[in-house]
Amino acid sequence: MHVRCPDRLPEETYRRVLELLAELSPVVQTLPPTAALVELKGALRYHGTDPRHLGEILRVRTLSRLGVDVRVGVGPSIAVAATASAQVPQPGGVLAVAPDQAADWLGALPVDALHGIGPRQAAVLSDYGIHSVGLLAAVPPATVQRLLGGRAGRTAADRARGIDPRPVVPRTLPAAATVRHRFPRHTLDGADARAALLEMVVRLGLLLRRRDQAARALTLTLMFAGGGRWEKTRRLAEPSAHDDDLRLLSYQLMDAAGLQRGRLVALVLKGEDLADRDQVAEQISFDGAREARLVAEEVTDRVRDKFGARVIGPAAIFRRAS
């Protein structure tokens, strides 16, 4: 079963959808940012029902519990299931393709609808008169390999025939830590945005240190009035949970956005690809100023633990940055 959630689904909601999938089957493979695969063989025996009914159960649960509609494709292989889920019209529904009907069902589809066929490959095939999956399946695999390249051609020829030996490999969503800031009114002032970002950096660093984790990458998302958004991810030079390192990379991400007159409504900062602190090598530093800041960071963490998170921090958090 291949499940597609709505585009731009918040990560927390995506994680909850994955939890609902795990209630149906223990074999769930995440396909970030908004899709997943589910192995149904054992689940069918356990629940005593058919694949389509399980897809309907999932859809009812996501709608009733999360208010999220999903597109579900069920088939005898990953390629067939993923192709089927893409054919379900938005906002959601279930399309189940029986194993004995897979070849005929695929054959009627345009070639660019086959899972794994990109626009360039579809254009090449169309140039040679191969406009449907059925025609692609009828062409000798060796010919397809000459058109698309060895491995890609063989894969496309097999999938056009409904052949896809890949198993569903259980894989959870990588751990992440997320902090948010919503402005009380649309913000045009870059200094206000940077002060808010600094406050988020402090919160994210404290969250990571309390969880004994370090981030390998940061993702900054800017949300604008009217529904627009900008998002970018960069990796840290080495995993870190220190405010200095997170602040430097966060400012670089903000600068990369090139804000001009965008009306900001919210910021989201996410630490990704997290590692446990005991797995992160501590580098010897000869920078006395940095070492002093790290000592100060330890002290402020203890102050926050005792008196609250907002009793101490950078001045820009408490007073508008100039």
Side-chain angles (χ1 to χ4, degrees), residues 194 197-198 201 218 234 236-237 242-255 290:
R194 189 163 292 247
L197 180 60
L198 178 58
V201 165
L218 291 181
R234 283 187 180 175
L236 290 141
H242 298 307
D243 292 351
D244 266 6
D245 302 326
L246 302 179
R247 174 180 51 80
L248 178 61
L249 187 57
S250 296
Y251 283 180
Q252 291 175 356
L253 288 167
M254 179 70 86
D255 292 341
R290 175 180 170 82

Side-chain angles (χ1 to χ4, degrees), residues 136-150 153-158 161:
L136 178 59
V139 174
T143 302
V144 182
Q145 287 179 291
R146 285 196 294 271
L147 296 178
L148 301 181
R154 183 67 196 181
T155 298
D158 285 344
R161 296 170 172 81

Side-chain angles (χ1 to χ4, degrees), residues 9-262:
L9 188 71
E11 183 181 314
E12 291 82 355
T13 308
Y14 177 49
R15 289 181 182 274
R16 294 182 66 185
V17 172
L18 295 176
E19 292 173 0
L20 294 180
L21 294 178
E23 293 179 3
L24 298 180
S25 170
V27 185
V28 177
Q29 179 177 338
T30 62
L31 301 173
T34 58
L37 287 167
V38 185
E39 175 58 70
L40 294 181
K41 289 180 181 177
L44 294 177
R45 291 192 294 269
Y46 179 81
H47 294 284
T49 187
D50 60 83
R52 179 180 179 82
H53 188 222
L54 278 184
E56 295 287 1
I57 290 174
L58 172 66
R59 188 180 177 209
V60 168
R61 289 180 179 178
T62 59
L63 278 169
S64 61
R65 299 182 188 179
L66 307 177
V68 173
D69 207 348
V70 294
R71 295 184 290 160
V72 181
V74 181
S77 68
I78 290 177
V80 174
T83 302
S85 67
Q87 295 303 303
V88 176
Q90 293 186 5
V94 179
L95 176 57
V97 181
D100 58 348
Q101 298 174 347
D104 291 339
W105 179 79
L106 287 172
L109 296 175
V111 70
D112 60 355
L114 181 63
H115 177 68
I117 295 292
R120 291 184 179 180
Q121 292 177 323
V124 171
L125 294 171
S126 296
D127 287 344
Y128 286 89
I130 304 172
H131 302 288
S132 69
V133 178
L135 289 173
L136 178 59
V139 174
T143 302
V144 182
Q145 287 179 291
R146 285 196 294 271
L147 296 178
L148 301 181
R151 185 174 181 178
R154 183 67 196 181
T155 298
D158 285 344
R159 292 181 182 177
R161 296 170 172 81
I163 301 170
D164 186 359
R166 294 176 298 166
V168 178
V169 180
R171 186 170 64 209
T172 59
L173 195 63
T178 305
V179 293
R180 290 175 169 78
H181 178 89
R182 181 166 289 277
F183 296 100
R185 59 184 64 85
H186 298 171
T187 298
L188 291 167
D189 193 322
D192 284 347
R194 189 163 292 247
L197 180 60
L198 178 58
E199 187 265 342
M200 294 167 64
V201 165
V202 171
R203 284 196 286 138
L204 179 61
L206 183 61
L207 175 62
L208 291 172
R209 293 191 295 274
R210 283 177 172 172
R211 288 165 47 169
D212 289 326
Q213 292 179 318
R216 295 188 177 94
L218 291 181
T219 296
L220 177 64
T221 304
L222 311 181
M223 299 182 180
F224 300 96
R229 60 189 284 151
W230 178 94
E231 183 173 286
K232 192 173 185 64
T233 301
R234 283 187 180 175
R235 298 189 70 82
L236 290 141
E238 59 187 41
S240 177
H242 298 307
D243 292 351
D244 266 6
D245 302 326
L246 302 179
R247 174 180 51 80
L248 178 61
L249 187 57
S250 296
Y251 283 180
Q252 291 175 356
L253 288 167
M254 179 70 86
D255 292 341
L259 288 176
Q260 302 259 332
R261 300 294 295 171

